[in-house]
Amino acid sequence: MTVAEHEKGEVEIGIIGLGDMGLMYAKRIVKAGWKSVNVCDLPSRYEQLKVKLKDSGLNVLRDGHAVSRKSDFIIYSVEAENIDKVVAQYGPSTKVGSIVAGQTSVKEPEIRAFEKHLPEDVHIVSCHSLHGPTVDPEGQPLVMIQHRGTKEKFQLALRILSCLKSQVVVLSYSEHDRIMADTQAVTHVAFLSMGTAWKTQKQFPWETPQYVGGIENVKVHMALRIYSNKWHVYAGIAIMNPAAKIQIKQYSQSVSDLFKLMIQEKEEEFTARAGEYVFGKTRNSSREQILLSDSILDQFSLSSVPKDKRKPNSHLSLLAMADCWHSLKINPYEHMVCQTPLFRLWLGITEYLFCNSDMLDEAIHSALYSKDIRADDMEFYSATKGWAECVDIGNMVTYQRRFEDTSKFFESRFEESKKMGREMIRVIVTKTHK
Ligand SMILES: NC(=O)C1=CN([C@@H]2O[C@H](COP(=O)(O)OP(=O)(O)OC[C@H]3O[C@@H](n4cnc5c(N)ncnc54)[C@H](OP(=O)(O)O)[C@@H]3O)[C@@H](O)[C@H]2O)C=CC1
Ligand SMILES: O=C(O)C(=O)Cc1ccc(O)cc1
């Protein structure tokens, strides 16, 4: 027996929270040959899970106490909102000398909960896979945080999670949260706002000539992808990460500033604000470009409107993104090591607009002079204000209400859009530069 095989037989792995991410991890760890993988969800789900997972190779236990007492590497994969409560409950049962990790998308509350509730004699090494449960983890970023613990324990955690074949990025928890605020949080607010604006207008974008083809397909599928997922993931990212509030506030301010210039038709000022910082001076530098292609993106359409019937779009959401990056002096390319699929697509379509001068001129012209698009932009402006305010106040229930309200409107197309969105992500990950 090799040393690696011996280790896989000896070390017990635990997962608390068997939702989408917890189950994806558990299955991959078992598949990689680790012999004891102890899992649980809420005690109320114990009987049902035992039946559902009887042939999975997973060791289903009643609760987090049972998992914590037996396991040498424990991952909490619960809602960010619940992390403090769950660690308070099961943390004191953690086995002496074991390693504790979390999968929540925001690390400050998670680390705070670990420091507060875990015994002194356990190690804290956390993780975060920067993709959803249906994306192949191979090659995707996996953030690893060696917070409190020896090098040996950190190496063990890395060996266990190497079964994901992800690209490991080692960060501190505060670096993680700052980068995630710059990448994920603001991206989600832009897509959420598009959804809210479409819903408010009772308009399916695929029936509208402004949202046909190319980069419009990214807007539609990624907005629907978010709305078809669980609200708590996005609420946690936006509300529980203090750095995210600053980003989101600025994004909403940029939308507001640009919208005011648009309705006043202040062409010179409006044009001057559009994108020099991110895509101008650095355009010829050696930074990696995403290089989306219109022909790739055209394949993914829900629309029956022919492309030659499309009308120009102002792309206020993208112009404002560049303006926001400029205002906060953020170079989004510096965060590419921590890209999520959505952030990659978001930066990709913003780059696409700013690096195609004809398209940019057309967008600026329609932003200033097309009355057709003005109603949409007005709703988009209101939607970003609403989302930014909701995040600033920090009320999870209001977030949930806003989210589910819009989600219902799009429900009938989730199935179809999800398939295309998944394929779109697969294609952009393999066909564009990495
Ligand atoms: N979905 C995604 O794309 C990603 C999510 N994440 C993060 O991973 C974490 C999990 O997300 P995800 O799997 O999507 O969400 P899910 O809602 O699918 O999973 C969370 C699970 O934790 C369970 N749970 C809650 N309290 C307890 C408890 N006391 N004991 C045991 N189980 C409990 C929940 O049970 P119940 O539902 O019955 O309440 C649920 O099954 C979140 O923090 C999220 O931010 C990270 C990367 C990507
Ligand atoms: O790509 C995105 O931004 C997603 O929406 C998927 C996602 C959600 C939560 C995470 O913590 C990481 C990735």
Side-chain angles (χ1 to χ4, degrees), residues 40-271:
C40 77
D41 201 89
L42 290 169
S44 56
R45 292 191 63 209
Y46 172 59
E47 300 297 340
Q48 176 213 354
L49 281 174
K50 237 175 36 171
V51 176
K52 182 179 155 197
L53 298 172
K54 69 176 173 4
D55 300 320
S56 63
L58 299 171
N59 187 16
V60 181
L61 301 178
R62 183 171 295 278
D63 63 19
H65 290 298
V67 170
S68 297
R69 290 185 56 210
K70 278 170 78 68
S71 309
D72 303 291
F73 177 57
I74 302 148
I75 307 174
Y76 282 82
S77 191
V78 300
E79 301 86 344
E81 190 190 8
N82 290 336
I83 190 76
D84 185 74
K85 192 178 75 188
V86 182
V87 181
Q89 200 177 1
Y90 305 130
S93 300
T94 312
K95 182 174 167 183
V96 176
S98 62
I99 311 164
V100 179
Q103 176 62 252
T104 66
S105 309
V106 195
K107 294 302 174 191
E108 197 276 334
E110 181 186 289
I111 295 288
R112 198 162 10 102
F114 288 163
E115 286 185 340
K116 193 158 134 204
H117 305 298
L118 292 176
E120 290 285 326
D121 54 17
V122 307
H123 303 257
I124 302 172
V125 172
S126 205
C127 63
H128 183 196
S129 283
L130 300 188
H131 57 84
T134 59
V135 172
D136 181 352
E138 184 167 349
Q140 298 297 322
L142 165 66
V143 175
M144 295 293 297
I145 299 167
Q146 182 181 3
H147 181 68
R148 183 181 92 187
T150 60
K151 199 169 139 209
E152 288 69 31
K153 295 289 182 180
F154 187 60
Q155 293 300 328
L156 173 58
L158 288 175
R159 282 199 297 285
I160 296 168
L161 296 185
S162 67
C163 65
L164 301 169
K165 302 193 177 84
S166 295
Q167 196 73 41
V168 171
V169 185
V170 178
L171 296 175
S172 70
Y173 77 88
S174 51
E175 283 167 340
H176 167 277
D177 283 357
R178 200 173 31 76
I179 296 175
M180 290 303 126
D182 290 353
T183 54
Q184 280 200 291
V186 75
T187 302
H188 296 158
V189 162
F191 286 120
L192 287 166
S193 302
M194 288 175 209
T196 303
W198 292 325
K199 187 220 74 179
T200 311
Q201 303 226 82
K202 297 194 175 33
Q203 171 193 84
F204 288 128
W206 48 88
E207 291 170 358
T208 316
Q210 280 91 342
Y211 299 103
V212 175
I215 67 176
E216 302 300 344
N217 291 338
V218 175
K219 293 184 188 170
V220 172
H221 290 305
M222 293 306 115
L224 263 66
R225 187 176 170 87
I226 289 176
Y227 278 111
S228 69
N229 285 337
K230 291 178 178 144
W231 69 271
H232 73 73
V233 174
Y234 303 98
I237 289 169
I239 291 178
M240 297 186 70
N241 181 351
K245 288 194 184 5
I246 301 163
Q247 268 283 343
I248 291 169
K249 219 177 207 167
Q250 179 57 52
Y251 182 67
S252 159
Q253 189 60 49
S254 291
V255 171
S256 177
D257 290 350
L258 291 182
F259 187 64
K260 277 182 273 186
L261 294 174
M262 281 162 60
I263 56 178
Q264 293 170 87
E265 297 183 2
K266 291 193 171 166
E267 184 169 347
E268 219 169 291
E269 240 182 288
F270 184 83
T271 310

